[in-house]
């Protein structure tokens, strides 16, 4: 108020951005029609309440020789953004092994510098693309009285291995 009338009201600061999150002291400067000036301070609290926008992409992960593989958040992130700055990106699952072969839904969680969090899902398709290592040994077959004999895959196998699990062993000819 003024005993005459107020000519102008100005603020020492009227625009705020992410760098101003928290308490900010601002001054209201009032000038009356006769040029008299006074000011008072006010605390302006700036808040960032906007969650990040999380954008993901699906991935295909081929198995490595040990039967395990891993991904990082940057591989799943497909351009996530925030009105301020992103502080971290984390995955709900990042390591995969033979038990995960097929489609796996995971979550990318993005946290901004002011603690706002959001997440989105992505499908990680785990493939076992490594052929088994087949090791064989020679076998001698003794024929019976009718002139017939047979062998099994177990007899011919000499320690075959796979990065995951061997599902079956068969022979091209067993009789």
């Amino acid at each position: 108020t003024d005993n005459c009338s107020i000519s102008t009201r100005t603020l020492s600061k009227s625009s705020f951005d992410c760098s101003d999150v928290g308490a900010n002291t601002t001054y209201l400067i009032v000038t009356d029609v006769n040029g008299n000036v006074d000011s008072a301070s006010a605390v302006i609290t700036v808040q960032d309440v906007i969650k990040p926008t999380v954008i993901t992409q699906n991935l295909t992960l081929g198995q490595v020789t040990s039967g395990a593989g891993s991904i990082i958040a940057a591989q799943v992130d497909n351009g996530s953004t925030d009105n301020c700055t992103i502080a971290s990106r984390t995955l709900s699952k990042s390591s995969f092994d033979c038990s995960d072969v097929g489609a796996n839904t995971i979550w990318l969680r993005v946290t901004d510098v002011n603690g706002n969090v959001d997440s989105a899902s992505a499908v990680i398709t785990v493939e076992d693309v490594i052929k088994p290592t087949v090791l064989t040994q020679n076998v001698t077959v003794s024929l019976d009285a009718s002139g017939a004999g047979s062998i099994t895959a177990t007899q011919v196998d000499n320690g075959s291995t796979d990065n995951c699990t061997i599902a079956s062993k068969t022979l091209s000819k067993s009789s």
Side-chain angles (χ1 to χ4, degrees), residues 107-127:
W107 293 87
L108 172 63
R109 179 182 167 126
V110 177
T111 305
D112 74 12
V113 293
N114 297 305
N116 299 303
V117 178
D118 206 359
S119 60
S121 65
V123 175
I124 308 303
T125 302
V126 178
E127 296 178 335

Side-chain angles (χ1 to χ4, degrees), residues 57-140:
Q57 61 185 349
N58 298 332
L59 294 176
T60 298
L61 178 64
Q63 291 291 322
V64 293
T65 57
S66 65
S70 63
I71 57 173
I72 59 172
Q75 292 173 285
V76 177
D77 192 322
N78 196 24
S80 298
T81 60
D82 187 65
N83 62 314
C84 288
T85 303
I86 293 174
S88 67
R89 294 169 177 86
T90 58
L91 296 173
S92 61
K93 182 172 183 166
S94 60
S95 295
F96 301 89
D97 60 27
C98 293
S99 67
D100 299 307
V101 171
N104 299 269
T105 300
I106 65 161
W107 293 87
L108 172 63
R109 179 182 167 126
V110 177
T111 305
D112 74 12
V113 293
N114 297 305
N116 299 303
V117 178
D118 206 359
S119 60
S121 65
V123 175
I124 308 303
T125 302
V126 178
E127 296 178 335
D128 175 13
V129 295
I130 300 171
K131 295 178 183 180
T133 301
V134 180
L135 300 175
T136 59
Q137 61 188 347
N138 296 332
V139 176
T140 301

Side-chain angles (χ1 to χ4, degrees), residues 11-13 16 23-28 39-45:
L11 293 171
S12 62
K13 183 169 184 167
F16 301 91
N24 297 271
T25 301
T26 301
Y27 294 91
L28 173 63
S39 64
S41 66
V43 175
I44 308 299
T45 302

